[in-house]
Amino acid sequence: MASSAAFFLLAVAALHVCCCRGQGRDGGAVAAIYSLGDSITDTGNLAKEAPPGAFETIKHLPYGVTFGRPTGRCSDGLLMIDFLAHDMGLPFLNPYLAKNTSFDHGVNFAVAGATAMDPADQSNRTFSLKLQLRWFKDFMKSTFDTDEGNSKNFFPLITVSQPQCTLCFQRSGILILYVKFVRAEIRKRLQSSLVLVGEIGGNDYNYALFGNKSVSEVEKLIPAVVQTIIDATKEVLDMGASRVIVPGNFPIGCFPSYLTAMASPEQSAYDSAGCLKDLNLFAAKHNAQLQRAVAGLRSSYPDAAIAYADYFNSFLSLLKGAPALGFDENSTHTACCGAGGRYNYDERRMCGVEGTAACADPSAYVSWDGIHMTQAAYKEMSRLIYHGRYLQPQILSFPE
């Protein structure tokens, strides 16, 4: 039996693990990037997981045309995550479901079509944030924790009167502090890494809105979606992450898919940028709740660097400055690849199927297929966010 002195030292060490999370404010180099999310970030997971015949369009040209070949990315080329990795001096992130590939500098767990919340209909196979988080944990354990010993268990460490940790319970009137054992190797790796939790949640709303639910009905989902994102972020931080970025949603009322599906005969429904006001107000409500929740995380995890990535206002900035950035000012709301119509978008004939065509110069367009952006737009978005004022606060430093 361990001596009382030894037990006290173990308790103090474990309390430090629980309450002193993340040591990433020193500006140390980022050794790896781990990403959770949806099609905005997916570098090939859906294409590798989908059975033959499903999601065939993203597996073939014109997807990837600017890159030179299809990669499973929902664009003509690279994504924001690719530009971020490049700017940090790291290789592009390989998808988690890829075989015989390197994960030395990070892993991409994002899956196109993924939702934040688990689907109510369990027969609908959706790659939710919960599943991606499980992949993340499994990867970290299998790669950096080969000891199967204590890593599965909770065990009592110390009694406390004013607990600062949420992992506590009461027994016989005494509060007992419990801490999940996290291997030092995992914590060390995460403290030299960057973790992106999203963008995610957009599809929860997309599926509902395109399922004929009203904007006011879908607004009721916002608190649950935001809480799911925050809960996942807490788990990442509890594992030892010291740098975490949580992105918000885009101004979806500016996207060709929504501009087509929810077109209004009333000019008053549109703002000065030609976007649908109600949809952008909805996205702004999601972002406001998410920002408040992220601010709460900073209070709970003072030793971690936690930033909110403002996709909403950075995208509006891109639209406003589109001509100066080399985009065709007459095509900022038009898909490069599609099947005609005012916005070159038809949900019955998506980019890549028979009867659709891609524009000659994707770099002149903001939207690739009506839902996702072009490589040129993603590059500009990455610059605005990660090198500009739309990462709040700025927690990244880039090599010269």
Side-chain angles (χ1 to χ4, degrees), residues 77-337:
L78 300 176
L79 310 176
M80 279 188 280
I81 188 70
D82 298 310
F83 291 110
L84 174 61
H86 175 269
D87 291 350
M88 300 201 79
L90 299 173
F92 297 152
L93 299 190
N94 287 316
Y96 174 67
L97 298 177
K99 306 296 183 184
N100 302 317
T101 191
S102 172
F103 294 131
D104 291 345
H105 300 285
V107 187
N108 195 340
F109 301 96
V111 186
T115 55
M117 298 189 295
D118 286 337
D121 178 8
Q122 295 300 319
S123 64
N124 179 17
R125 192 180 185 199
T126 302
F127 296 89
S128 68
L129 184 55
K130 181 179 180 180
L131 174 61
Q132 293 179 35
L133 190 60
R134 188 167 77 235
W135 287 348
F136 174 67
K137 291 178 177 178
D138 288 346
F139 172 81
M140 298 305 293
K141 181 174 177 57
S142 64
T143 306
F144 300 105
D145 177 13
T146 57
D147 180 2
E148 295 291 334
N150 294 322
S151 60
K152 295 180 181 179
N153 301 315
F154 282 87
F155 51 95
L157 295 176
I158 189 171
T159 59
V160 290
S161 58
Q162 297 294 328
Q164 300 300 311
C165 180
T166 57
L167 296 175
C168 303
F169 78 100
Q170 192 163 355
R171 176 183 291 169
S172 301
I174 300 175
L175 287 168
I176 307 294
L177 174 63
Y178 269 57
V179 177
K180 188 158 187 180
F181 187 87
V182 178
R183 293 291 295 174
E185 291 85 353
I186 294 177
R187 299 190 68 84
K188 182 178 179 182
R189 177 63 168 183
L190 287 177
Q191 287 169 3
S192 64
S193 301
L194 170 66
V195 182
L196 278 73
V197 185
E199 186 272 342
I200 193 115
N203 285 322
D204 297 70
Y205 306 137
N206 292 339
Y207 297 147
L209 289 166
F210 283 107
N212 296 320
K213 288 191 175 183
S214 68
V215 173
S216 59
E217 285 181 288
V218 181
E219 277 187 15
K220 297 175 183 177
L221 295 175
I222 292 176
V225 169
V226 168
Q227 190 60 54
T228 301
I229 296 168
I230 293 302
D231 287 346
T233 307
K234 287 179 179 178
E235 291 199 52
V236 168
L237 288 162
D238 285 337
M239 291 175 67
S242 63
R243 299 176 186 87
V244 179
I245 295 175
V246 184
N249 202 353
F250 292 94
I252 57 176
C254 301
F255 283 35
S257 55
Y258 277 110
L259 287 166
T260 300
M262 301 188 180
S264 173
E266 302 296 329
Q267 188 58 39
S268 60
Y270 299 85
D271 62 20
S272 59
C275 306
L276 288 162
K277 292 179 182 178
D278 285 351
L279 287 171
N280 281 1
L281 179 59
F282 164 77
K285 289 179 179 179
H286 164 90
N287 291 337
Q289 290 194 31
L290 183 61
Q291 282 181 279
R292 287 195 294 270
V294 170
L297 285 180
R298 295 192 196 105
S299 298
S300 300
Y301 298 84
D303 296 301
I306 308 169
Y308 171 77
D310 189 350
Y311 283 14
F312 188 97
N313 287 302
S314 57
F315 186 86
L316 292 180
S317 177
L318 185 155
L319 285 184
K320 184 177 180 180
L325 296 170
F327 297 101
D328 179 0
E329 62 180 329
N330 297 316
S331 302
T332 53
H333 296 314
T334 305
C336 167
C337 182

